[in-house]
Coordinates of all heavy atoms in Angstrom, one line a residue:
G11 N 0.7 -1.2 0.0 CA 0.1 0.0 0.1 C 0.9 1.3 0.0 O 0.3 2.4 0.3
F12 N 2.1 1.2 -0.2 CA 3.0 2.3 -0.2 C 3.4 2.6 -1.6 O 4.3 1.8 -2.2 CB 4.1 2.4 0.7 CG 3.6 2.2 2.2 CD1 3.4 1.1 2.9 CD2 3.4 3.4 2.8 CE1 2.9 1.0 4.1 CE2 2.9 3.3 4.1 CZ 2.8 2.2 4.8
L13 N 3.1 3.8 -2.4 CA 3.4 4.1 -3.7 C 4.8 5.1 -3.5 O 4.7 6.2 -3.1 CB 2.5 4.8 -4.5 CG 2.6 5.2 -5.7 CD1 3.2 4.1 -6.7 CD2 1.6 6.1 -6.4
L14 N 6.0 4.5 -4.0 CA 7.2 5.2 -4.0 C 7.4 5.6 -5.4 O 6.8 5.1 -6.3 CB 8.2 4.3 -3.4 CG 8.2 4.1 -2.0 CD1 9.3 2.9 -1.6 CD2 8.5 5.3 -1.1
P15 N 8.4 6.5 -5.6 CA 8.7 6.8 -7.0 C 9.3 5.5 -7.7 O 10.0 4.7 -7.0 CB 9.9 7.9 -6.9 CG 9.5 8.5 -5.6 CD 9.1 7.4 -4.7
P16 N 9.0 5.2 -8.8 CA 9.4 4.1 -9.5 C 11.0 3.8 -9.7 O 11.4 2.9 -10.2 CB 8.6 4.0 -10.8 CG 8.3 5.4 -11.1 CD 8.3 6.1 -9.7
A17 N 11.7 4.9 -9.6 CA 13.0 5.0 -9.6 C 13.8 5.5 -8.4 O 13.3 6.5 -7.9 CB 13.6 5.7 -10.9
Q18 N 14.9 5.0 -8.1 CA 15.6 5.4 -6.9 C 16.3 6.8 -7.2 O 16.8 7.4 -6.2 CB 16.6 4.5 -6.2 CG 17.7 4.1 -7.2 CD 18.6 3.0 -6.7 OE1 18.3 2.4 -5.7 NE2 19.5 2.5 -7.5
F19 N 16.2 7.3 -8.4 CA 16.7 8.6 -8.7 C 15.8 9.7 -8.4 O 16.0 10.9 -8.8 CB 17.2 8.6 -10.2 CG 18.3 7.6 -10.4 CD1 18.0 6.5 -11.2 CD2 19.5 7.6 -9.8 CE1 19.0 5.5 -11.4 CE2 20.5 6.6 -10.1 CZ 20.2 5.5 -10.8
E20 N 14.5 9.4 -8.0 CA 13.6 10.3 -7.6 C 13.4 10.4 -6.1 O 13.8 9.4 -5.4 CB 12.4 10.1 -8.3 CG 12.4 10.0 -9.9 CD 11.1 9.5 -10.4 OE1 10.0 10.2 -10.1 OE2 11.1 8.7 -11.2
A21 N 12.8 11.3 -5.6 CA 12.6 11.4 -4.1 C 11.2 11.1 -3.8 O 10.3 11.5 -4.6 CB 13.0 12.8 -3.6
A22 N 11.0 10.6 -2.7 CA 9.6 10.4 -1.9 C 9.6 11.5 -1.0 O 10.6 12.1 -0.5 CB 9.5 9.0 -1.4
F23 N 8.4 11.8 -0.6 CA 8.3 13.0 0.5 C 7.3 12.6 1.5 O 6.3 11.8 1.3 CB 7.7 14.2 -0.3 CG 8.5 14.7 -1.3 CD1 8.5 14.2 -2.6 CD2 9.5 15.7 -1.0 CE1 9.3 14.8 -3.6 CE2 10.3 16.3 -2.1 CZ 10.2 15.8 -3.3
V24 N 7.6 13.1 2.7 CA 6.4 13.2 3.8 C 5.9 14.5 3.6 O 6.6 15.4 3.2 CB 7.0 12.9 5.2 CG1 7.5 11.4 5.3 CG2 8.2 13.8 5.5
S25 N 4.6 14.6 4.1 CA 4.0 15.8 3.8 C 3.2 16.2 5.1 O 3.1 15.4 6.1 CB 2.9 15.8 2.7 OG 1.8 15.0 3.1
M26 N 2.6 17.4 5.2 CA 1.8 17.8 6.4 C 0.7 16.9 6.6 O 0.1 16.9 7.6 CB 1.3 19.3 6.2 CG 2.5 20.2 6.2 SD 3.5 20.1 7.7 CE 2.3 20.7 8.9
A27 N 0.2 16.1 5.6 CA -0.9 15.2 5.7 C -0.4 13.8 6.5 O -1.3 13.2 6.9 CB -1.5 14.8 4.4
H28 N 0.8 13.5 6.4 CA 1.3 12.4 7.2 C 1.5 12.6 8.7 O 1.6 13.7 9.1 CB 2.8 12.0 6.6 CG 2.6 11.6 5.1 ND1 3.2 12.3 4.1 CD2 2.1 10.4 4.6 CE1 2.9 11.6 3.0 NE2 2.3 10.5 3.2
T29 N 1.3 11.5 9.4 CA 1.4 11.5 10.7 C 2.6 10.5 11.2 O 3.1 9.7 10.4 CB 0.2 11.0 11.5 OG1 -0.1 9.5 11.2 CG2 -1.1 11.8 11.1
L30 N 2.8 10.6 12.4 CA 3.9 9.6 13.0 C 3.5 8.2 12.8 O 4.3 7.3 12.5 CB 4.1 9.9 14.5 CG 5.4 9.2 15.1 CD1 6.6 9.5 14.4 CD2 5.5 9.7 16.5
D31 N 2.2 8.0 12.9 CA 1.6 6.6 12.7 C 1.8 6.2 11.1 O 2.2 4.9 10.9 CB 0.1 6.5 13.0 CG -0.1 6.6 14.5 OD1 0.9 6.2 15.3 OD2 -1.3 6.8 14.9
D32 N 1.7 7.1 10.3 CA 2.0 6.8 8.8 C 3.5 6.4 8.7 O 3.8 5.5 7.9 CB 1.7 8.1 8.0 CG 0.2 8.3 7.9 OD1 -0.7 7.5 8.1 OD2 0.0 9.5 7.8
V33 N 4.3 7.1 9.2 CA 5.8 6.8 9.2 C 6.1 5.5 9.7 O 6.8 4.7 9.2 CB 6.7 8.0 9.9 CG1 8.0 7.5 10.1 CG2 6.5 9.3 9.1
R34 N 5.4 5.1 10.9 CA 5.7 3.8 11.5 C 5.2 2.7 10.6 O 5.8 1.7 10.5 CB 4.9 3.9 12.9 CG 5.7 4.6 13.9 CD 4.9 4.5 15.3 NE 5.5 5.3 16.1 CZ 4.9 6.1 17.1 NH1 3.5 6.3 17.0 NH2 5.5 7.0 18.0

């Protein structure tokens, strides 16, 4: 259920919508 960039040459981001529970 986690959509990351399809290449490791791109960055993923945490946003203001994310919580500590999301990170965990």
Side-chain angles (χ1 to χ4, degrees):
F12 293 93
L13 178 59
L14 293 169
Q18 63 187 358
F19 302 110
E20 300 176 53
F23 297 87
V24 291
S25 74
M26 294 300 296
H28 292 111
T29 65
L30 193 52
D31 287 340
D32 295 324
V33 168
R34 288 181 183 130

